[in-house]
Amino acid sequence: MKHYGQACAIARALDVIGERWNLLIVRELTLGPRRYRHLAAGLPGIPSNVLAARLKDLQAAGVITRLALPAPADVTVYELTDAGRALQPALHELLHWGLRYTPEPSGDDAAQPGWGLLAAAGRATALPAGQTCELRVGPERFYLGSDAGTLTVRRGPAPDGDAVVTMPADTLFSLLTGQMTVTDAVRHATVDGGTEIARRALEPLAAAGAKPAPSPPSKPARI
Protein backbone atom coordinates (compact mmCIF):
# COMPACT_ATOMS: atom_id res chain seq x y z
CA MET A 1 0.00 0.00 0.00
CA LYS A 2 1.06 3.57 -0.64
CA HIS A 3 1.12 5.92 2.33
CA TYR A 4 0.61 9.67 2.56
CA GLY A 5 2.91 9.94 5.56
CA GLN A 6 0.59 12.40 7.30
CA ALA A 7 -0.43 12.34 10.96
CA CYS A 8 -4.10 12.78 10.07
CA ALA A 9 -6.92 10.26 10.55
CA ILE A 10 -8.33 10.97 7.08
CA ALA A 11 -4.94 10.34 5.50
CA ARG A 12 -4.54 7.16 7.57
CA ALA A 13 -7.95 5.95 6.39
CA LEU A 14 -7.00 6.62 2.78
CA ASP A 15 -3.74 4.73 3.33
CA VAL A 16 -5.94 1.67 3.86
CA ILE A 17 -8.92 2.10 1.54
CA GLY A 18 -7.88 4.91 -0.82
CA GLU A 19 -6.04 2.69 -3.30
CA ARG A 20 -7.89 2.18 -6.61
CA TRP A 21 -10.48 -0.66 -6.38
CA ASN A 22 -10.30 -1.02 -2.58
CA LEU A 23 -13.60 0.68 -1.77
CA LEU A 24 -15.31 -1.16 -4.62
CA ILE A 25 -14.13 -4.46 -3.13
CA VAL A 26 -15.74 -3.35 0.15
CA ARG A 27 -18.89 -2.49 -1.84
CA GLU A 28 -18.98 -5.99 -3.30
CA LEU A 29 -18.79 -7.56 0.16
CA THR A 30 -21.40 -5.27 1.73
CA LEU A 31 -24.29 -7.59 0.82
CA GLY A 32 -22.48 -10.70 2.04
CA PRO A 33 -19.44 -12.96 1.52
CA ARG A 34 -18.27 -13.64 -2.05
CA ARG A 35 -16.03 -16.11 -3.80
CA TYR A 36 -13.02 -14.82 -5.73
CA ARG A 37 -14.63 -15.39 -9.12
CA HIS A 38 -17.80 -13.61 -8.04
CA LEU A 39 -15.73 -10.67 -6.81
CA ALA A 40 -13.99 -10.53 -10.19
CA ALA A 41 -17.36 -10.59 -11.95
CA GLY A 42 -18.59 -7.75 -9.74
CA LEU A 43 -15.55 -5.62 -10.59
CA PRO A 44 -15.53 -5.46 -14.39
CA GLY A 45 -12.20 -4.20 -15.69
CA ILE A 46 -10.01 -5.24 -12.75
CA PRO A 47 -6.99 -7.37 -13.74
CA SER A 48 -6.75 -10.63 -11.81
CA ASN A 49 -3.30 -9.81 -10.42
CA VAL A 50 -4.56 -6.44 -9.15
CA LEU A 51 -7.58 -8.05 -7.45
CA ALA A 52 -5.33 -10.60 -5.77
CA ALA A 53 -2.99 -7.85 -4.55
CA ARG A 54 -5.82 -5.66 -3.26
CA LEU A 55 -7.39 -8.57 -1.39
CA LYS A 56 -4.03 -9.33 0.21
CA ASP A 57 -3.61 -5.70 1.27
CA LEU A 58 -7.13 -5.47 2.72
CA GLN A 59 -6.62 -8.71 4.62
CA ALA A 60 -3.35 -7.43 6.05
CA ALA A 61 -5.14 -4.24 7.15
CA GLY A 62 -7.89 -6.26 8.85
CA VAL A 63 -10.67 -4.94 6.61
CA ILE A 64 -11.60 -8.31 5.10
CA THR A 65 -10.97 -11.93 5.96
CA ARG A 66 -10.76 -15.14 3.96
CA LEU A 67 -12.46 -18.26 5.23
CA ALA A 68 -13.43 -21.73 4.06
CA LEU A 69 -17.10 -22.60 4.31
CA PRO A 70 -17.77 -26.11 5.61
CA ALA A 71 -19.45 -28.87 3.60
CA PRO A 72 -21.68 -29.03 1.69
CA ALA A 73 -20.57 -25.60 0.40
CA ASP A 74 -16.86 -26.44 0.71
CA VAL A 75 -15.70 -23.18 -0.89
CA THR A 76 -13.44 -20.28 0.10
CA VAL A 77 -15.03 -16.84 0.41
CA TYR A 78 -14.04 -13.32 1.40
CA GLU A 79 -16.09 -11.30 3.87
CA LEU A 80 -15.88 -8.04 5.79
CA THR A 81 -14.46 -7.94 9.29
CA ASP A 82 -15.83 -5.67 12.01
CA ALA A 83 -13.49 -2.97 10.68
CA GLY A 84 -14.84 -3.50 7.16
CA ARG A 85 -18.45 -3.35 8.33
CA ALA A 86 -17.65 -0.15 10.19
CA LEU A 87 -17.10 1.45 6.77
CA GLN A 88 -20.76 0.99 5.85
CA PRO A 89 -22.03 4.40 7.09
CA ALA A 90 -19.23 6.15 5.17
CA LEU A 91 -19.91 4.05 2.06
CA HIS A 92 -23.62 4.83 2.35
CA GLU A 93 -22.95 8.56 2.54
CA LEU A 94 -20.52 8.34 -0.37
CA LEU A 95 -23.14 6.51 -2.44
CA HIS A 96 -25.76 9.21 -1.91
CA TRP A 97 -23.24 12.01 -2.39
CA GLY A 98 -22.22 10.39 -5.68
CA LEU A 99 -25.77 10.33 -7.05
CA ARG A 100 -25.46 14.02 -7.94
CA TYR A 101 -22.65 13.12 -10.34
CA THR A 102 -24.44 10.16 -11.90
CA PRO A 103 -24.49 10.58 -15.68
CA GLU A 104 -27.27 9.33 -17.90
CA PRO A 105 -26.61 5.59 -18.45
CA SER A 106 -24.99 4.63 -21.72
CA GLY A 107 -24.60 1.32 -23.51
CA ASP A 108 -20.98 1.17 -22.36
CA ASP A 109 -21.80 1.35 -18.64
CA ALA A 110 -21.64 -1.83 -16.58
CA ALA A 111 -24.63 -2.24 -14.30
CA GLN A 112 -25.43 -4.91 -11.72
CA PRO A 113 -28.53 -5.30 -9.53
CA GLY A 114 -26.57 -5.37 -6.27
CA TRP A 115 -25.11 -1.92 -6.92
CA GLY A 116 -28.56 -0.39 -7.20
CA LEU A 117 -29.93 -2.26 -4.20
CA LEU A 118 -27.22 -0.75 -1.99
CA ALA A 119 -29.01 2.59 -2.36
CA ALA A 120 -32.22 1.07 -0.97
CA ALA A 121 -30.67 -0.71 2.02
CA GLY A 122 -31.45 1.11 5.26
CA ARG A 123 -34.47 3.00 3.89
CA ALA A 124 -37.72 2.97 5.86
CA THR A 125 -39.95 0.00 5.12
CA ALA A 126 -43.48 -1.06 6.07
CA LEU A 127 -42.43 -4.71 5.81
CA PRO A 128 -43.21 -6.23 9.22
CA ALA A 129 -40.34 -7.77 11.16
CA GLY A 130 -40.10 -11.48 10.46
CA GLN A 131 -41.56 -11.25 6.95
CA THR A 132 -39.13 -11.61 4.07
CA CYS A 133 -39.11 -11.42 0.29
CA GLU A 134 -36.74 -12.96 -2.21
CA LEU A 135 -35.93 -10.80 -5.23
CA ARG A 136 -34.71 -12.63 -8.31
CA VAL A 137 -33.05 -10.65 -11.09
CA GLY A 138 -31.57 -12.89 -13.77
CA PRO A 139 -29.32 -15.45 -12.05
CA GLU A 140 -28.98 -13.33 -8.89
CA ARG A 141 -30.97 -13.76 -5.70
CA PHE A 142 -31.43 -11.15 -2.95
CA TYR A 143 -32.95 -11.36 0.52
CA LEU A 144 -35.16 -8.43 1.47
CA GLY A 145 -36.17 -8.15 5.12
CA SER A 146 -36.83 -5.63 7.87
CA ASP A 147 -34.74 -4.56 10.83
CA ALA A 148 -36.25 -1.97 13.19
CA GLY A 149 -38.35 -0.55 10.36
CA THR A 150 -35.52 -0.28 7.82
CA LEU A 151 -34.85 -2.45 4.78
CA THR A 152 -32.23 -5.18 5.05
CA VAL A 153 -30.65 -6.42 1.81
CA ARG A 154 -28.37 -9.43 1.50
CA ARG A 155 -27.15 -11.58 -1.35
CA GLY A 156 -28.68 -15.00 -1.58
CA PRO A 157 -32.13 -16.55 -1.26
CA ALA A 158 -34.73 -15.91 1.41
CA PRO A 159 -35.42 -19.40 2.80
CA ASP A 160 -39.10 -19.80 3.61
CA GLY A 161 -39.70 -16.29 2.27
CA ASP A 162 -43.25 -14.92 2.31
CA ALA A 163 -42.97 -13.78 -1.30
CA VAL A 164 -40.70 -14.32 -4.29
CA VAL A 165 -40.45 -11.59 -6.95
CA THR A 166 -38.86 -12.41 -10.30
CA MET A 167 -38.09 -9.18 -12.12
CA PRO A 168 -36.23 -8.25 -15.33
CA ALA A 169 -33.10 -6.17 -14.77
CA ASP A 170 -34.45 -3.21 -16.78
CA THR A 171 -37.57 -3.15 -14.60
CA LEU A 172 -35.45 -3.07 -11.44
CA PHE A 173 -33.30 -0.22 -12.76
CA SER A 174 -36.39 1.73 -13.84
CA LEU A 175 -37.81 1.32 -10.34
CA LEU A 176 -34.56 2.36 -8.66
CA THR A 177 -34.15 5.45 -10.84
CA GLY A 178 -37.75 6.60 -10.36
CA GLN A 179 -38.84 5.94 -13.94
CA MET A 180 -41.32 3.29 -12.80
CA THR A 181 -43.64 3.00 -9.80
CA VAL A 182 -43.89 -0.03 -7.53
CA THR A 183 -47.30 -0.79 -9.05
CA ASP A 184 -45.83 -0.82 -12.55
CA ALA A 185 -42.82 -2.85 -11.42
CA VAL A 186 -45.07 -5.51 -9.88
CA ARG A 187 -47.06 -5.57 -13.11
CA HIS A 188 -43.86 -6.32 -15.05
CA ALA A 189 -42.72 -8.95 -12.54
CA THR A 190 -43.84 -12.40 -11.45
CA VAL A 191 -44.88 -12.64 -7.80
CA ASP A 192 -45.20 -15.93 -5.96
CA GLY A 193 -46.71 -15.69 -2.48
CA GLY A 194 -48.05 -12.57 -0.80
CA THR A 195 -48.42 -9.72 -3.28
CA GLU A 196 -48.83 -7.15 -0.49
CA ILE A 197 -45.62 -8.37 1.16
CA ALA A 198 -43.84 -8.08 -2.19
CA ARG A 199 -45.11 -4.50 -2.61
CA ARG A 200 -43.95 -3.53 0.88
CA ALA A 201 -40.54 -5.06 0.25
CA LEU A 202 -40.18 -3.20 -3.05
CA GLU A 203 -41.40 0.22 -1.84
CA PRO A 204 -37.99 1.29 -0.41
CA LEU A 205 -36.45 0.58 -3.83
CA ALA A 206 -38.58 3.22 -5.57
CA ALA A 207 -36.33 6.09 -6.74
CA ALA A 208 -33.58 4.97 -4.31
CA GLY A 209 -30.97 5.57 -6.99
CA ALA A 210 -32.51 8.65 -8.57
CA LYS A 211 -30.38 11.71 -9.15
CA PRO A 212 -31.34 14.38 -6.60
CA ALA A 213 -33.01 17.53 -7.83
CA PRO A 214 -30.66 20.51 -8.01
CA SER A 215 -30.80 22.82 -5.03
CA PRO A 216 -32.42 26.21 -5.66
CA PRO A 217 -29.94 29.06 -5.97
CA SER A 218 -29.25 30.77 -2.68
CA LYS A 219 -30.52 34.31 -2.26
CA PRO A 220 -27.90 37.02 -2.01
CA ALA A 221 -27.36 38.29 1.48
CA ARG A 222 -28.86 41.66 2.30
CA ILE A 223 -26.45 44.37 3.32
Side-chain angles (χ1 to χ4, degrees):
M1 288 186 182
K2 297 178 181 178
H3 297 277
Y4 286 100
Q6 298 179 11
C8 162
I10 294 174
R12 298 295 194 209
L14 292 176
D15 286 345
V16 177
I17 48 90
E19 195 75 58
R20 179 173 167 82
W21 297 107
N22 280 5
L23 266 182
L24 295 185
I25 291 173
V26 174
R27 176 198 70 188
E28 289 304 298
L29 297 175
T30 295
L31 299 183
R34 305 209 77 184
R35 298 173 65 177
Y36 184 93
R37 64 185 179 89
H38 293 150
L39 275 174
L43 297 163
I46 190 171
S48 183
N49 64 317
V50 173
L51 175 56
R54 297 294 185 268
L55 290 173
K56 184 177 179 181
D57 287 344
L58 289 172
Q59 286 180 79
V63 175
I64 67 172
T65 188
R66 183 173 179 264
L67 70 156
L69 297 180
D74 198 25
V75 295
T76 298
V77 297
Y78 294 88
E79 71 173 1
L80 296 176
T81 62
D82 288 343
R85 285 187 287 273
L87 281 168
Q88 298 315 296
L91 202 64
H92 183 78
E93 291 298 325
L94 186 62
L95 184 157
H96 288 280
W97 181 80
L99 286 175
R100 72 190 66 201
Y101 297 104
T102 303
E104 291 299 319
S106 71
D108 297 330
D109 288 336
Q112 296 190 13
W115 302 347
L117 290 174
L118 283 173
R123 295 185 102 192
T125 179
L127 188 66
Q131 292 188 332
T132 62
C133 175
E134 181 175 316
L135 176 62
R136 299 178 179 178
V137 185
E140 298 206 61
R141 305 286 185 269
F142 299 94
Y143 167 103
L144 305 180
S146 174
D147 180 16
T150 60
L151 185 70
T152 299
V153 183
R154 295 198 299 265
R155 287 188 193 279
D160 303 319
D162 299 285
V164 176
V165 179
T166 303
M167 181 180 291
D170 58 351
T171 298
L172 174 63
F173 292 125
S174 294
L175 177 63
L176 288 166
T177 54
Q179 300 174 63
M180 185 177 286
T181 65
V182 172
T183 298
D184 288 337
V186 170
R187 191 178 296 125
H188 286 79
T190 300
V191 178
D192 296 313
T195 302
E196 184 58 29
I197 293 172
R199 289 181 58 86
R200 290 184 178 186
L202 295 176
E203 281 169 357
L205 277 59
K211 192 171 184 176
S215 302
S218 56
K219 295 180 179 180
R222 293 183 177 181
I223 301 176

